Amino acid sequence: MTPPPPGPRRGALALLASTQLLLITDTAIVNVALPSVGEDLGSGSAGLSWVANAYLIAFGGLLLLGGRVADLLGHRRVFLGGLGLLAAASAAGGLAPGAGALVAARAAQGVGAAFAAAAAFALLLLLFPDGPARHRALGAFAAMGGLGGVLGTVLGGVLTDALGWRATFWLNVLLAVLLAVLAVAVLDPRTGGASGGFDLAGALTATAGLGLLAHALVGGSEAGWLTVRTLGSGGAGLALLLVFAAVETRAAAPLVPPPVLARPALRLANVLAALAQTTLFPMFFLVSLYLQDVLGHTPLGGGLGLLPLSLVVVAVAPRTGRIILRVGLHRTMTLGFVLLCAGTLWLALALTSDGTFASTVLAPSLLLGAALPLVTVTTNVAATAEAAPAETGLASGLVNTSQQFGSVLGLAVLVAVATSRTGDALRTAAGDTARAAAETAGFRAALLTGAAFAALAALLSVRPRLPARTAPPKDRVPDPY
């Protein structure tokens, strides 16, 4: 595929980045609306947790399949199909008469989001060849992701208070339909349609394995890590992934060709992408809880407390490409992980039970806002730099799956650390002051664990196994975008 002129590409990038914004915003909106959902539908905490978990399991389990299907059937077609399913499932959620129907709608939303997200990222890779233009495009994606978390929290609070929780689902319908209409006008329908058959056995084993593994991770903190349910789901998921690996070595048209996974740069980049989200994703959750449970902010105030971080992300992300060109991919990535480790460590040590937002969260969150686009853009660049045009959906599915499972694993592990540390502290003290101190100790322990993950990623990023080429050859005309 020959990339279109700069003008149409800007329009396509705006559309694809807006899709990223929609998907991130949707997750944050629903999390804010969950208490109101429980009151209206009479659902307990266990039922409410699965309103969120059903989406995460479907989304994490189907990203890899969604990327490969986009390569085979056409990226725009799969993108539109994903948005259509997301809109229909959101409408079903807005009309859900009970918690069971809402959980089913959220699972369907996760399916639609997985296909839309994988196809959108693949389209970005096709539109912007490896080099400065791709770096800027990935920066736009990172900026929209950072903005989406805070925007979703704010919109979730406003819509739930003013119109009720069902309005948050109808907003998804409106936005998904709008993006689909724009996609028909902006995106090239000729992308994708790679030749070759479809590996049904690989698709079934990979999807079921990833789904069961996600089920074990998101449900482990609730059911217990050593329960039959958690160990059974996790063990079955790992077994199916081993079967998937065996199937891929014999399939005529494998879902993930073994030579692709044999690339050291791709493997390392996906590990680093997962480690980045293992620290970043739970950090947002933990900071919001700290602001609400310890400092006494409202849910809306807890979301707005992350606004300075998001503004730094929006400012730094578009400039990440220039930083890569100036200092190189390796150094930029290592710098990002060092800043992520330093910011998370600073935040952990700054937390106090009697502090204020300005004295505890503000300064380290600004450092984390600078780190987020550096690690996100560089790991995405490294994970996709070697992908051929017919592999863009596959590369998209792999890195998105790595990031999703990093997020799920990080949230499960860090929340378990926080809960355990808080419980230990509460056994030796009582009263509101002691509870605030115990919760602060829990959040601190969790963030220190996150800093350790970031430090490991910083050490791994130094290894010289990442793609060396991050700019166009000298004999090629610079990209005017």
Side-chain angles (χ1 to χ4, degrees):
M1 171 188 169
T2 302
R9 277 199 294 168
R10 292 191 187 100
L13 175 59
L15 170 70
L16 299 173
S18 297
T19 304
Q20 175 79 348
L21 179 66
L22 168 63
L23 298 178
I24 300 296
T25 301
D26 168 60
T27 302
I29 281 180
V30 172
N31 287 341
V32 171
L34 282 180
S36 297
V37 172
E39 292 177 9
D40 187 27
L41 300 182
S43 178
S45 58
L48 286 179
S49 69
W50 283 104
V51 173
N53 292 346
Y55 178 92
L56 292 174
I57 292 169
F59 187 67
L62 287 164
L63 279 165
L64 181 58
L65 178 61
R68 188 55 182 155
V69 169
D71 283 339
L72 294 173
L73 300 184
H75 300 100
R76 192 184 79 158
R77 183 180 301 160
V78 173
F79 178 71
L80 289 171
L83 286 178
L85 179 55
L86 179 63
S90 298
L95 297 170
L102 184 58
V103 169
R106 286 290 287 164
Q109 276 187 304
V111 176
F115 279 79
F121 198 80
L123 282 163
L124 180 144
L125 300 181
L126 286 169
L127 287 165
F128 300 94
D130 185 34
R134 180 177 290 183
H135 302 165
R136 286 190 289 270
L138 290 171
F141 256 51
M144 290 301 100
L147 185 61
V150 173
L151 184 61
T153 302
V154 174
L155 283 176
V158 171
L159 286 174
T160 302
D161 289 343
L163 301 174
W165 65 268
R166 295 181 187 274
T168 63
F169 285 86
W170 290 109
L171 177 64
N172 279 342
V173 177
L174 176 63
L175 295 178
V177 170
L178 176 61
L179 289 175
V181 170
L182 293 175
V184 172
V186 171
L187 299 179
D188 187 345
R190 296 170 295 174
T191 62
S195 60
F198 186 73
D199 177 18
L200 180 60
L204 291 175
T205 52
T207 301
L210 291 170
L212 285 169
L213 194 57
H215 179 274
L217 290 173
V218 300
S221 57
E222 174 193 327
W225 293 106
L226 298 179
T227 60
V228 173
R229 189 180 86 177
T230 302
L231 293 176
S233 295
L238 290 174
L240 283 171
L241 291 179
L242 290 175
V243 173
F244 166 71
V247 167
E248 294 303 274
T249 62
R250 296 172 174 82
L255 186 68
V256 182
V260 172
L261 289 180
R263 299 169 187 167
L266 181 141
R267 293 200 306 269
L268 177 59
N270 277 272
V271 168
L272 292 172
L275 285 172
Q277 294 306 315
T278 301
T279 300
L280 282 167
F281 186 80
M283 179 272 298
F284 284 95
F285 178 75
L286 293 168
V287 168
S288 181
L289 281 184
Y290 168 76
L291 292 174
Q292 295 177 62
D293 295 350
V294 177
L295 300 190
H297 291 270
T298 64
L300 181 59
L304 289 175
L306 295 168
L307 181 59
L309 182 153
S310 297
L311 292 177
V312 174
V313 172
V314 173
V316 173
R319 295 168 174 79
T320 303
R322 297 178 188 173
I323 299 173
I324 293 173
L325 287 175
R326 183 163 296 182
V327 305
L329 180 65
H330 289 86
R331 293 189 181 92
T332 305
M333 181 182 288
T334 302
L335 172 64
F337 279 112
V338 168
L339 292 178
L340 179 60
C341 178
T344 308
L345 182 62
W346 183 4
L347 179 62
L349 299 177
L351 298 186
T352 61
S353 59
D354 58 351
T356 65
F357 167 74
S359 66
T360 58
V361 173
L362 179 59
S365 73
L366 299 180
L367 188 61
L368 289 167
L372 188 154
L374 295 182
V375 298
T376 301
V377 173
T378 54
T379 52
N380 281 331
V381 167
T384 59
E386 298 176 310
E391 298 173 343
T392 52
L394 172 60
S396 164
L398 284 171
V399 71
N400 272 290
T401 299
S402 298
Q403 291 170 341
Q404 180 66 15
F405 273 84
S407 300
V408 173
L409 177 63
L411 188 62
V413 171
L414 268 62
V415 168
V417 169
T419 302
S420 175
R421 181 67 183 89
T422 298
D424 290 343
L426 285 175
R427 278 193 283 271
T428 60
D432 292 341
T433 301
R435 174 167 288 279
E439 290 179 341
T440 301
F443 295 139
R444 182 182 298 114
L447 289 169
L448 289 173
T449 305
F453 283 123
L456 173 62
L459 292 174
L460 291 176
S461 69
V462 176
R463 299 173 64 186
R465 290 191 179 183
L466 298 174
R469 186 176 67 85
T470 61
K474 292 182 179 180
D475 59 345
R476 200 164 101 193
V477 177
D479 196 308
Y481 168 68

